[in-house]
Each structure stands twice: as structure tokens, then as C-alpha cells.
Amino acid sequence: MARTPLIAGNWKMNLDHVEAIGSVQKFAFSLPKDYYEKVDVAYMVPFTDIRTIQTLVEGDKLQVTYGAQDISKHESGAFTGEVSGKMLAKLGCSYVVIGHSERREHHAETDAVVHLKVKAALAAGLAPIVCVGESSETRAAGEHLAFVTRQVAAALEGLSAEELAHAVIAYEPVWAIGTGKTATPDQAQAVHALLRAQLHHAASEHAAGIRILYGGSMNAANAAELLAQPDIDGGLIGGAALKAADFLKIVAAAA
Ligand code: 13P
């Protein structure tokens, strides 16, 4: 099954709603229209930017999608500060990033919490972008493959094959995030191939269609060789997604 690559920019806690307009407009007006047939583009933005991006995308009929960087595991109620899947869906979000290593590290998100958030996303009709990835210590110990497959198994536990078909996996080795140290194409492909085999086991009929993104210092210079790997189906881009011109080059590499 051919997988359309997905290039998703994860802005993290950058770009307010006014800056967001400038960045998305600059990108959208520079991208040749036929690229949209070859690559899906998504912006994963701060909650406060979503309504603005929705207005822009709908108003200008832009062919980009967008989503949030987190979701509550609860449906509604007395959970001060939380944002529900239903609220995100109502704002036209297609995706939500779940279990990013920064949330696992700074917000004590366990595999169990990640799993509940994946369920919450699917229940709201959002595609979860489930992030997994090992630390440098885990890789040095030679345990990275076991570690990431454990993370994926925990996140997706008990999901039906139909539910799995809506998921996106992002392999983001923690040591490569924001460090300028990218996994080599071979290192990334080895993990992606293993995850593909794992997905086959869990959802044979859909596994070939599930996109597995790479994230971690992907940029305009290294995107093409990473994306050329057979099981790398796109990227989750941090720093290089903040400048429209850089993001555009990565999208062009995918197209
Ligand atoms: P960088 O591209 O800045 O390394 O960040 C990757 C990332 O964490 C995307 O979710």
C-alpha cells in the first residue's frame, strides 16, 4: 500500500496566534499546488493558535491540516487547564501529538497516560501521532529496540485494527531532539522497520498503511535521505518548522 508522506511541524511552545498567521500564509502561498497531491502537511500548534489557524485554513481554502500537541484523557468535567478531544475536533483538528518525550519528561506522562490519551483522541475522531523514542543511555546499552516496541505496545494496547489504521507513530530518539544530532538514515530505518513488523502483528490488514514518522533534528539538509528510507513515511519537525522557508524545503523533499 502506498503511503502518502506526512510532514508535521511541531511548533512546541513557539509562535503566538498572530505569528502563526504569517508563518502558515508564507508557507501556503509559496508551495506549488501539485505538491499537495504528493505530501500531507500538518501544523501541530499551541492551543491558543488553533482557532486562528482554523479561520485561515477555511477562509483561504488552504490544503494543510492542523492539530494540537496534547489532549486530556478525560471527556469533560472538572479538570482545570485541560482541553478535551471533542473541543479539538470542533476546531477542525485532524491530529493530536501524544506522548512527546517533552511531556513524558516534564509532565510525568507514563505509558498508561499515553494509552488513555490515544483512546481519547480516537473517540473524538482525531488521529493520534504517538511519539516514542529512547534516551542516549538506553541506546548505548543496546536496549533501544526493546524500549520503543514496549512504548508502542503500551500506547496501542487493545485497539482494534480499524482504530490502529487511524494512528500515526513518530519515532523520535530523545538524544536527537533539539540537539542537531540526527539519527542516521540506517539507524532510523532499523527502528522503523521493526515498528512496521510490530504493527503487522497487531493489525495485519492495515499495517502497510500506517505512517511512521521520524523526528529529531530533521531539517532541510538531511530530510531527503531520511525520507528515502522505505519505512520512513514523513517527519515530525520541531525547530525547522518554525521558519516557513525551511519547512517548505522539507515538504518539497517529501514531495
Ligand atoms: P527538533 O526538530 O527541534 O529536533 O524537534 C523534534 C521534535 O521534538 C518534534 O516533535
Side-chain angles (χ1 to χ4, degrees):
M1 189 190 296
R3 295 179 291 273
T4 303
L6 169 64
I7 301 296
N10 174 11
W11 284 358
K12 308 192 179 183
M13 198 170 72
N14 296 294
L15 305 187
D16 62 36
H17 74 286
V18 179
E19 295 164 327
I21 298 175
S23 187
V24 174
Q25 267 181 340
K26 196 165 162 209
F27 170 86
F29 295 149
S30 315
L31 191 74
K33 296 287 165 276
D34 56 332
Y35 281 22
Y36 288 119
E37 287 151 31
K38 299 179 197 148
V39 54
D40 293 338
V41 179
Y43 284 96
M44 312 309 297
V45 302
F47 290 129
T48 50
D49 293 2
I50 296 175
R51 173 65 179 150
T52 304
I53 291 191
Q54 179 188 33
T55 305
L56 178 65
V57 166
E58 289 179 359
D60 290 352
K61 300 199 173 23
L62 304 182
Q63 293 179 69
V64 302
T65 53
Y66 53 90
Q69 300 168 9
D70 187 28
I71 181 175
S72 175
K73 61 181 191 263
H74 304 286
E75 239 178 76
S76 65
F79 301 103
T80 302
E82 297 276 279
V83 176
S84 74
K86 203 170 156 189
M87 292 169 179
L88 297 175
K90 186 106 181 169
L91 284 165
C93 288
S94 301
Y95 299 97
V96 57
V97 174
I98 296 178
H100 192 282
S101 64
E102 287 149 18
R103 293 211 59 85
R104 292 179 191 258
E105 185 186 343
H106 305 305
H107 301 272
E109 279 195 13
T110 60
D111 282 339
V113 170
V114 169
H115 175 63
L116 292 173
K117 290 186 171 187
V118 170
K119 301 273 288 180
L122 290 167
L126 303 166
I129 300 180
V130 182
C131 300
V132 298
E134 81 286 356
S135 65
S136 53
E137 293 78 18
T138 301
R139 179 166 276 266
E143 288 162 8
H144 52 289
L145 297 177
F147 184 84
V148 295
T149 48
R150 234 178 9 246
Q151 283 185 320
V152 168
L156 306 182
E157 195 197 335
L159 300 187
S160 68
E162 285 68 31
E163 286 176 314
L164 282 172
H166 294 290
V168 176
I169 308 292
Y171 170 55
E172 300 205 302
V174 177
W175 48 271
I177 295 178
T179 58
K181 240 199 259 173
T182 319
T184 65
D186 286 349
Q187 282 175 327
Q189 169 58 24
V191 175
H192 284 231
L194 184 74
L195 295 179
R196 178 89 51 213
Q198 184 180 12
L199 292 172
H200 251 290
H201 204 69
S204 53
E205 68 272 44
H206 296 295
I210 299 174
R211 290 181 289 196
I212 308 176
L213 315 182
Y214 170 80
S217 299
M218 197 190 249
N219 57 40
N222 61 31
E225 58 172 358
L226 284 160
L227 294 168
Q229 300 302 308
D231 289 296
I232 300 185
D233 309 315
L236 188 55
I237 324 291
L242 295 175
K243 287 215 182 87
D246 291 346
F247 193 51
L248 190 73
K249 284 185 196 145
I250 298 173
V251 171

